Amino acid sequence: MIQVENLTKRYGSRTAIDGVSFEVEKGEILGFLGPNGAGKTTTMRILSGFFPATEGRAVVAGFDVSEQPLEAKRRTGYLPENPPVYTEMDVTSYLRFVARIKGVKSADVSRRASYAMERCGLSEHEDRLIKHLSKGYRQRVGLAQALIHDPDVLILDEPTIGLDPKQIIEVRELIRSLAGDHTVILSTHILPEVSMTCERVIIINNGKIVAVDTPQNLTHQLAGGTRVEVEVSGPMEQLSNVLTRIEGVGHYGTSAASGDRFSLSIEAEDHKEIRPAIARELVKNGFDVYSIRMEAITLEEVFLKLTTEEETE
């Protein structure tokens, strides 16, 4: 549904994105993840036809966004970071206005506006002025305008930024419900957004793609292991000798917990199950074990690892 090949955008001597290539399958929700300034919004604006690339090619629903911009835009719904709403209009009038601009047939304008309002949870607010809506509902109006012409592709740039927790959950659920009917690219720097909403993630940093995979595969492949978190008390001077005798134990660190207890964070090499051996050896050597648990490497840690390594290369 979307093919991007060696996309590059330069502003004078500054390169915003550099040789970006990826594909998005029909009906997929793809997370486009990166820190602020990584090139996310630039990529989204090129895909939506907002401005041209310096080099490379982008194809949306079979149409080149540079050579066939009108056809590509007809098949694209775009929600920029700040929703493009006219606050003096009521919700229904605005959506009907947008529908006409986007080429919806006159006979279908009212039906499409009603559908978009129902899909985005706006039916009870159809007669309200947009300026009287909360930020969360304005974001819903922005999503409704992106949906109004039933596009093949939805490009959503930071769709939950500035929303409260309840609004974020509602917008995430709405985005998930769009999968299958629409191909969605969700640009964000918010990690939970990706892990809770997207089937696959692209991580971009300094204008270059540094990883592409499912959130689960990224955490598994890049972690190199898992962690065991242990809370204990006992003879600290013996700790190093005890742990070095246990197969599968990698690096470890200690920190104070409470009273005479301390916490251990132990790396398990190659995802090995080392908890029974740790508990057994610690107890045998005079330690009291209060808790022991396996902890998976998070997407946040993968993200920080990738973006920090890129910056220091």
Side-chain angles (χ1 to χ4, degrees):
M1 185 57 67
I2 300 174
Q3 295 88 36
V4 174
E5 300 173 1
N6 298 314
L7 213 60
T8 298
K9 180 65 177 181
R10 299 188 186 92
Y11 300 97
S13 60
R14 186 175 76 86
T15 301
I17 56 172
D18 186 6
V20 167
S21 298
F22 62 90
E23 294 186 0
V24 190
E25 299 296 328
K26 184 176 181 180
E28 181 182 12
I29 300 181
L30 176 77
F32 206 69
L33 177 66
N36 290 328
K40 302 185 303 297
T41 294
T42 297
T43 305
M44 299 303 102
R45 288 178 175 175
I46 292 172
L47 289 176
S48 63
F50 189 81
F51 54 47
T54 306
E55 297 171 10
R57 183 169 181 258
V59 176
V60 173
F63 296 94
D64 190 298
V65 298
S66 177
E67 297 178 1
Q68 301 161 293
L70 292 179
E71 291 299 327
K73 287 177 182 178
R74 287 190 182 104
R75 290 157 178 83
T76 303
Y78 178 42
L79 175 62
E81 186 174 336
N82 297 308
V85 296
Y86 293 110
T87 58
E88 299 300 325
M89 299 180 76
D90 64 67
V91 174
T92 301
S93 298
Y94 168 73
L95 290 176
R96 289 176 178 173
F97 167 70
V98 171
R100 289 191 292 270
I101 288 177
K102 294 190 175 186
V104 175
K105 294 179 181 178
S106 297
D108 294 333
V109 166
S110 293
R111 180 180 62 83
R112 289 302 307 171
S114 296
Y115 168 82
M117 285 188 287
E118 181 180 354
R119 195 72 188 267
C120 296
L122 291 165
S123 298
E124 295 181 2
H125 303 277
E126 60 183 2
D127 296 325
R128 292 189 65 184
L129 294 180
I130 294 173
K131 69 179 179 181
H132 293 154
L133 297 176
S134 68
K135 185 165 185 178
Y137 274 97
R138 291 190 194 191
Q139 201 77 341
R140 288 172 179 265
V141 175
L143 275 169
Q145 67 79 30
L147 280 169
I148 194 75
H149 57 305
D150 194 23
D152 296 315
V153 173
L154 286 169
I155 298 173
L156 312 178
D157 192 2
E158 304 279 6
T160 63
I161 193 167
L163 304 186
D164 65 38
K166 182 175 183 293
Q167 293 167 340
I168 288 172
I169 292 170
E170 291 171 347
V171 171
R172 283 178 186 160
E173 290 175 350
L174 172 58
I175 293 169
R176 280 198 298 266
S177 75
L178 299 173
D181 296 331
H182 307 273
T183 301
V184 182
I185 296 185
L186 170 64
S187 168
T188 183
H189 67 279
I190 303 171
L191 292 157
E193 207 91 292
V194 170
S195 57
M196 295 180 186
T197 309
C198 303
E199 302 156 15
R200 197 162 56 97
V201 59
I202 289 174
I203 298 179
I204 186 171
N205 190 48
N206 293 329
K208 295 183 178 181
I209 291 177
V210 294
V212 183
D213 213 324
T214 65
Q216 295 80 9
N217 285 346
L218 281 174
T219 56
H220 182 80
Q221 292 170 10
L222 296 174
T226 50
R227 273 197 314 272
V228 175
E229 300 292 335
V230 189
E231 187 176 344
V232 298
S233 66
M236 275 286 289
E237 66 278 3
Q238 296 183 29
L239 183 63
S240 179
N241 288 335
V242 172
L243 294 180
T244 54
R245 292 197 297 266
I246 301 172
E247 184 180 354
V249 168
H251 297 293
Y252 70 90
T254 62
S255 60
S258 61
D260 62 346
R261 301 183 190 182
F262 58 93
S263 295
L264 298 175
S265 183
I266 304 169
E267 181 181 318
E269 296 175 345
D270 300 321
H271 305 278
K272 289 180 179 178
E273 175 56 271
I274 58 174
R275 287 174 295 177
I278 289 173
R280 186 169 53 250
E281 291 298 321
L282 286 173
V283 171
K284 188 167 68 176
N285 285 274
F287 290 86
D288 293 323
V289 179
Y290 297 94
S291 67
I292 182 167
R293 67 185 188 277
M294 191 77 82
E295 200 169 88
I297 304 297
T298 65
L299 182 61
E300 180 174 356
E301 290 170 293
V302 172
F303 174 75
L304 290 173
K305 179 180 179 181
L306 285 169
T307 55
T308 302
E309 285 180 355
E310 284 289 310
E311 288 172 358
T312 56
E313 284 179 359

